[in-house]
Amino acid sequence: MKKINVPFEIKDLGTKFLTSDIWFTLHDKKYKRVLRPQRYSKISRGERLKEAENELRKYFPDHGRDTSFLRASLFNATNTSRPDQILQRDEYTYYFKMLPSEIEKCLFLINVNGEQVFSKGIQGFADVYKLWHTEIKDLNIEGRSKKDIQVFVPFKVKPDCYIPETRKRIFYHGSSKRFDSLNKYSYVTPYKEDAIKFAIPWSSSELLIKDEEMSNLGRPPKCLYFKRGIEIKDSKVYLYSVKGIDTISSGSNTGKIFPWNRITLKEASKENKSLKLEKKIASWKKELNTYNM
């Protein structure tokens, strides 16, 4: 299982796709190599959950009556597992795929106009995905709905990758100077390329092309193209990683708060191993050309 630092970008499946294109996500407060349905006796408020899941049992006649289900979401059709939502969560996010034979054993749920629609198996998946794609998707985009396709999984799954809880994530800070400690209340980001760009002395008024998509996310442009006559001097950039330090979300220069723009709540240092020089970049122009490619 691979540890990743930032979420996948959501890929719209469209209307024609393979089951191997489908990703599922599940959130948990603990690190787990394998995700297993738990016995109700081991779950906080397990009796209440057991009562809530009684309706599901008609779809799973052979499933143990004292065992719950894994509750996952379809990552390709989601509003609660978007990258910004995942980074706001303090818990672990697991990503996994399933074989067609495994999808056949799962139950899918979607809420349409206040009505719960249950459907099982691959055909059931196709039915609820079609409902989401035709009736729910645009509402999600416009922020008027927070409806996901829920997936009830009656067996254990092994995740392909995961994002750890916030405190165990790695953040980055770029600087034109080399140092052994990073001050409290310093800006950090989970994106390496953003940390490098933040270390360069430029302003949005100097940009030839403004990346509205990235700007709306509170992130610098994917590519830095400057107006004619604007020459930003090439220089070294030191890229540092920060880990094991508490951070909180911080506002961008627009005043909006985004979960990937963060500030540290205590000093990070090389001495206590919370600060590490990841890379000495001799030329930020060459480095960003590599990222842009």
Side-chain angles (χ1 to χ4, degrees):
M1 180 170 58
K2 182 181 179 182
K3 177 182 176 182
I4 59 177
N5 203 51
V6 292
F8 293 164
E9 292 299 323
I10 297 173
K11 177 184 177 183
D12 189 342
L13 292 175
T15 55
K16 293 184 179 180
F17 53 88
L18 302 174
T19 54
S20 58
D21 296 328
I22 305 169
W23 282 98
F24 301 91
T25 58
L26 186 147
H27 307 287
D28 199 286
K29 294 181 179 179
K30 297 181 179 179
Y31 171 76
K32 297 177 179 179
R33 291 185 180 276
V34 178
L35 303 171
R36 307 172 188 272
Q38 299 291 306
R39 296 181 70 84
Y40 293 114
S41 59
K42 295 184 177 181
I43 301 173
S44 175
R45 299 183 179 180
E47 286 302 314
R48 183 178 296 183
L49 178 62
K50 182 178 181 180
E51 183 178 341
E53 290 185 344
N54 271 340
E55 185 179 358
L56 308 178
R57 300 207 168 268
K58 62 184 177 183
Y59 300 98
F60 301 98
D62 299 324
H63 191 68
R65 296 196 61 82
D66 295 322
T67 304
S68 65
F69 302 87
L70 293 178
R71 290 192 175 209
S73 294
L74 177 62
F75 181 60
N76 309 82
T78 181
N79 187 57
T80 62
S81 288
R82 300 192 320 263
D84 59 325
Q85 296 281 1
I86 289 174
L87 287 177
Q88 285 180 27
R89 290 179 175 270
D90 191 37
E91 54 197 348
Y92 289 83
T93 295
Y94 296 93
Y95 296 81
F96 63 93
K97 292 186 175 186
M98 290 192 283
L99 297 171
S101 58
E102 293 174 318
I103 295 176
E104 184 64 30
K105 299 174 184 177
C106 295
L107 179 67
F108 300 89
L109 166 64
I110 192 170
N111 191 304
V112 180
N113 298 324
E115 180 182 352
Q116 289 187 326
V117 179
F118 290 95
S119 201
K120 192 177 181 185
I122 291 181
Q123 184 58 50
F125 165 81
D127 292 341
V128 296
Y129 178 72
K130 183 178 180 180
L131 278 173
W132 185 89
H133 203 271
T134 57
E135 299 191 29
I136 306 297
K137 178 184 174 183
D138 290 340
L139 294 178
N140 281 338
I141 291 174
E142 296 173 14
R144 295 197 299 266
S145 173
K146 293 185 178 180
K147 298 170 184 174
D148 276 7
I149 296 175
Q150 294 185 54
V151 188
F152 296 92
V153 185
F155 48 83
K156 66 182 181 181
V157 296
K158 187 174 181 179
D160 295 88
C161 53
Y162 75 101
I163 294 176
E165 60 183 346
T166 306
R167 185 172 172 78
K168 294 184 178 179
R169 295 173 194 165
I170 298 175
F171 297 97
Y172 298 94
H173 179 88
S175 175
S176 59
K177 298 179 181 179
R178 186 165 184 166
F179 46 73
D180 293 327
S181 62
L182 182 66
N183 293 334
K184 181 180 179 180
Y185 302 134
S186 293
Y187 285 93
V188 292
T189 172
Y191 296 96
K192 288 183 179 181
E193 62 270 32
D194 288 9
I196 295 170
K197 291 169 186 172
F198 287 142
I200 304 165
W202 60 274
S203 68
S204 57
S205 63
E206 297 171 323
L207 293 173
L208 175 63
I209 301 174
K210 294 185 178 180
D211 191 331
E212 293 295 336
E213 179 184 356
M214 296 296 281
S215 178
N216 290 336
L217 295 174
R219 295 182 57 192
K222 291 180 180 178
C223 301
L224 295 178
Y225 296 117
F226 297 105
K227 295 176 181 177
R228 181 177 296 179
I230 299 296
E231 181 60 35
I232 309 297
K233 186 178 178 181
D234 198 5
S235 63
K236 297 177 182 177
V237 169
Y238 297 91
L239 180 65
Y240 293 90
S241 61
V242 178
K243 65 178 181 179
I245 297 293
D246 288 333
T247 63
I248 57 172
S249 296
S250 173
S252 67
N253 56 5
T254 64
K256 294 183 180 179
I257 294 178
F258 299 92
W260 37 74
N261 292 330
R262 307 186 73 83
I263 56 173
T264 57
L265 295 180
K266 62 182 294 187
E267 181 185 83
S269 69
K270 183 178 177 181
E271 183 179 0
N272 63 18
K273 297 183 180 180
S274 57
L275 180 72
K276 179 183 177 183
L277 177 61
E278 288 287 331
K279 191 174 184 180
K280 177 182 176 181
I281 300 167
S283 164
W284 64 258
K285 290 185 177 182
K286 290 182 179 179
E287 186 72 13
L288 291 184
N289 278 337
T290 300
Y291 275 108
N292 293 344
M293 289 172 64

